[in-house]
């Protein structure tokens, strides 16, 4: 059985929690795209783990963690996550395998990401400044350096020196500090020792898992609206978030995937710049931000908040071939008298689908809202679907009907146990 979990909005839908829950029955949990721009929170045995690169399901004793080749790796971050887990008693050798196809996020990628953002001034995109887009840009222009080269040290040194030479000239034009080649090489030599034992042919491992009918859980990062091709470019991320990213990221053919789970947060949040059709800037958004702890796991930035945008989520569902829904954070909405959901967009008096909108249209469309009566009850202690407040069930039923996909998991709080299987 192969399950894929994808964020259906702008990221931070609660994928980490859902992945952790589904991982209990998985032999393998696989990160396959993006980098440490992702921040996935897992709360296990009362402890909070804000993972950026580690597969979120790795905490389960039986699950093997794979970081497949579509992922880009900041090695300092990766090693600090390995260290945290090892300190907490998790033995990772033989439990974590990393593809040597992964491209390395280099110090110059981070410096360039920041330099471009600063140069854009008021037109900045609001990236995480983790060097992600720069790493993918080097990958597609054959300037990338992978763990493969790190394994073959002479190749690494040669390529790193060449890239630093070029990148330092660019950094100079931005008037920012250049990369110190000697000290960086020393650092990579140390990191290399720690990482080499984890490198493996992850393609072969996954193909063997498929032929032995083992359970594989694919962990999507970010959200569909941030997809490099189908998101509202340029307010996107550097990787493919949608289902196709699985094939390029892991080598698993897309048709082998049994279920695509879309994680849908009961409202919308967004970090970074760009159009946000259902955005709220009022007491309700303040209430949701505080109650839902909507501050970035990666950058700590306050997340922008808005009503659930079903027009956008429907686009994500169609685009990814979603077969199951996991709804999160409806507990945050308890106490709000009237809830709204966007069921379409209008531009110049005419309806326009999300798929026809670029960032310029998205900045101008007005949402068509449907209103719902809210509920007062705290959802977190509720363990059965039947026991949910009537108004909450109506809200959920509408989501299911509108999207044409059944809800299979309803999350009622951040912890593993706060969950209703439907
Ligand atoms: P991800 O990037 O999609 O994995 O999501 P993040 O971890 O960045 O952000 C989601 C936040 O919501 C985390 O702090 C989770 O612990 C929390 N969370 C997940 N599911 C729920 C839920 O159903 N209710 C509440 N209140 N919090 C949740
Ligand atoms: P998870 O996996 C929320 C956003 C950034 C920025 C844009 C580009 O935790 O859901 P980048 O650094 O990728 O070049 O920034 O993408 N972004 C995310 N927002 N959650 C994420 O990941 C994100 N990953 C990227 O805020 O707007
Ligand atoms: Mg996140």
């Amino acid at each position: 059985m192969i399950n894929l979990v994808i964020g259906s909005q702008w990221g931070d839908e609660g994928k980490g929690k859902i992945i952790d829950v589904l991982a209990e029955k998985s032999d393998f949990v696989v990160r396959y795209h993006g980098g440490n721009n992702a921040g996935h929170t897992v709360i296990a045995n009362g402890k909070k783990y804000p993972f950026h690169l580690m597969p979120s399901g790795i905490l389960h004793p039986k699950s093997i963690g794979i970081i497949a080749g579509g992922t880009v790796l900041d090695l300092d971050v990766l090693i600090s996550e390995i260290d945290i887990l090892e300190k907490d008693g998790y033995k990772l050798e033989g439990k974590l395998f990393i593809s040597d196809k992964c491209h390395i996020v280099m110090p110059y990628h981070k410096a360039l990401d920041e330099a471009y953002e600063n140069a854009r001034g008021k037109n900045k995109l609001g990236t995480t400044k983790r060097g992600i887009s720069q790493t993918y840009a080097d990958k597609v222009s054959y300037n990338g350096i992978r763990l493969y080269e790190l394994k073959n040290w002479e190749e690494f040194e040669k390529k790193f020196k060449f890239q630093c030479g070029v990148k330092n000239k660019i950094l100079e034009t931005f008037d920012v500090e250049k990369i110190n080649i000697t000290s960086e090489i020393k650092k990579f030599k140390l990191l290399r020792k720690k990482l080499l034992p984890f490198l493996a042919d992850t393609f072969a491992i996954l193909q063997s898992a498929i032929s032995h009918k083992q359970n594989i859980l694919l962990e999507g990062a970010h959200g569909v609206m941030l997809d490099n091709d189908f998101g509202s470019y340029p307010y996107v991320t550097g990787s493919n978030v949608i289902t196709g990213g699985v094939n390029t990221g892991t080598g698993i053919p897309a048709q082998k995937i049994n279920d695509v789970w879309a994680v849908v947060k009961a409202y919308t949040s967004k970090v970074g710049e760009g159009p946000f059709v259902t955005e709220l800037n009022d007491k309700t958004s303040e209430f949701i931000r505080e109650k839902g702890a909507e501050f970035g796991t990666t950058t700590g930035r306050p997340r922008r908040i808005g009503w659930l945008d079903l027009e956008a989520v429907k686009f994500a569902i169609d685009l990814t071939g979603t077969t199951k829904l996991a709804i999160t954070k409806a507990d945050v909405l308890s106490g709000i008298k009237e809830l709204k959901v966007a069921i379409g967009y209008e531009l110049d008096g005419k309806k326009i689908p999300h798929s026809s909108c670029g960032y310029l249209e998205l900045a101008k469309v007005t949402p068509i809202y449907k209103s719902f009566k809210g509920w007062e009850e705290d959802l977190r202690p509720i363990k059965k679907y039947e026991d949910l407040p009537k108004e909450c069930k109506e809200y959920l039923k509408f989501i299911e009907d509108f999207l044409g996909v059944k809800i299979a998991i309803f999350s009622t709080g951040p912890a593993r146990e706060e969950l209703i299987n439907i």
Side-chain angles (χ1 to χ4, degrees):
M1 185 76 184
I2 304 185
N3 278 293
L4 164 64
V5 175
I6 288 189
S8 66
Q9 294 153 307
W10 278 265
D12 304 325
E13 297 89 351
K15 297 177 291 296
K17 174 189 165 164
I18 300 300
I19 290 156
D20 173 58
V21 167
L22 293 176
E24 202 184 349
K25 293 200 182 102
S26 304
D27 302 295
F28 293 89
V29 281
V30 188
R31 258 302 291 269
Y32 61 91
H33 74 109
N36 59 311
N37 46 346
H40 299 169
T41 318
V42 178
I43 302 173
N45 309 319
K47 186 158 181 191
K48 191 169 176 171
Y49 292 93
F51 290 137
H52 299 286
L53 291 171
M54 199 57 72
S56 297
I58 198 155
L59 301 181
H60 290 282
K62 178 180 107 160
S63 313
I64 302 275
I66 302 265
I67 302 180
T71 320
V72 295
L73 298 176
D74 182 323
L75 302 187
D76 283 327
V77 176
L78 177 63
I79 284 178
S80 76
E81 292 188 4
I82 291 174
D83 286 345
I84 287 170
L85 289 179
E86 286 185 338
K87 261 196 208 113
D88 282 357
Y90 293 94
K91 296 216 171 13
L92 293 185
E93 275 197 56
K95 187 167 168 65
L96 174 68
F97 296 97
I98 306 173
S99 168
D100 64 5
K101 288 194 195 313
C102 292
H103 280 248
I104 303 173
V105 178
M106 292 295 184
Y108 46 78
H109 292 135
K110 290 183 268 189
L112 281 168
D113 192 356
E114 176 147 20
Y116 268 105
E117 274 293 84
N118 291 339
R120 287 183 191 113
K122 69 176 178 41
N123 295 321
K124 71 177 174 137
L125 303 172
T127 76
T128 59
K129 300 188 179 170
R130 299 299 193 261
I132 306 302
S133 58
Q134 297 297 323
T135 308
Y136 280 111
D138 267 356
K139 172 179 174 171
V140 295
S141 58
Y142 328 132
N143 288 307
I145 303 178
R146 299 168 298 165
L147 290 178
Y148 179 78
E149 278 76 29
L150 197 67
K151 206 164 70 178
N152 298 289
W153 182 250
E154 278 173 23
E155 286 295 300
F156 180 87
E157 236 183 320
K158 193 170 68 189
K159 291 193 175 194
F160 185 71
K161 282 180 182 161
F162 171 72
Q163 287 301 329
C164 282
V166 177
K167 300 301 197 295
N168 275 343
K169 284 186 196 139
I170 307 175
L171 290 171
E172 228 177 328
T173 66
F174 279 115
D175 215 13
V176 296
E177 205 181 322
K178 292 194 281 187
I179 305 302
N180 182 325
I181 303 175
T182 318
S183 70
E184 289 297 333
I185 284 188
K186 252 194 209 151
K187 213 176 82 185
F188 276 111
K189 227 178 192 159
L190 285 177
L191 294 177
R192 178 176 186 268
K193 267 204 175 136
K194 174 95 193 180
L195 276 179
L196 288 187
F198 294 104
L199 298 195
D201 179 352
T202 59
F203 175 79
I205 294 173
L206 291 170
Q207 292 298 320
S208 156
I210 293 171
S211 63
H212 289 95
K213 303 213 177 320
Q214 287 181 291
N215 291 327
I216 300 174
L217 179 61
L218 299 157
E219 170 171 355
H222 326 303
V224 168
M225 303 304 149
L226 295 167
D227 181 82
N228 193 263
D229 285 282
F230 280 93
S232 43
Y233 193 91
Y235 300 100
V236 293
T237 189
S239 65
N240 275 116
V241 173
I242 58 177
T243 314
V246 169
N247 196 189
T248 53
T250 66
I252 295 176
Q255 70 270 29
K256 296 269 183 204
I257 299 168
N258 299 89
D259 271 315
V260 179
W261 292 72
V263 186
V264 183
K265 179 144 73 177
Y267 50 89
T268 310
S269 72
K270 175 171 165 62
V271 199
E273 308 302 317
F276 183 172
V277 177
T278 60
E279 184 165 20
L280 295 170
N281 277 303
D282 58 10
K283 289 231 150 28
T284 305
S285 55
E286 272 170 37
F287 172 87
I288 293 175
R289 186 177 301 112
E290 289 305 319
K291 191 170 170 201
E294 294 294 355
F295 297 89
T297 314
T298 301
T299 58
R301 291 179 285 180
R303 294 173 182 155
R304 295 160 70 190
I305 303 292
W307 295 123
L308 177 61
D309 182 348
L310 281 185
E311 172 63 25
V313 176
K314 176 76 173 108
F315 172 66
I317 297 299
D318 293 344
L319 189 53
T320 54
T322 292
T323 56
K324 285 184 172 163
L325 299 177
I327 308 286
T328 60
K329 301 193 90 160
D331 56 293
V332 175
L333 301 179
S334 295
I336 301 175
K337 295 249 163 323
E338 184 197 13
L339 302 171
K340 288 186 186 176
V341 167
I343 52 168
Y345 300 159
E346 238 173 41
L347 183 65
D348 302 327
K350 284 197 199 112
K351 278 193 84 174
I352 181 168
H354 184 92
S355 58
S356 302
C357 297
Y359 67 98
L360 297 173
E361 288 78 15
L362 284 175
K364 286 192 286 192
V365 298
T366 46
I368 305 165
Y369 281 124
K370 179 171 169 59
S371 289
F372 292 83
K373 197 165 174 293
W375 56 89
E376 287 297 326
E377 295 87 334
D378 181 5
L379 305 184
R380 290 181 66 169
I382 300 178
K383 296 288 168 220
K384 283 193 208 137
Y385 183 81
E386 307 82 81
D387 297 340
L388 289 172
K390 176 168 100 0
E391 294 81 4
C392 178
K393 278 191 275 194
E394 273 165 22
Y395 191 72
L396 298 180
K397 174 85 172 59
F398 184 81
I399 295 173
E400 269 189 339
D401 290 347
F402 189 92
L403 299 177
V405 184
K406 287 272 173 229
I407 300 171
I409 288 181
F410 180 62
S411 169
T412 54
R416 264 180 189 170
E417 314 69 56
E418 291 174 312
L419 186 99
I420 301 176
N421 283 302
I422 302 174

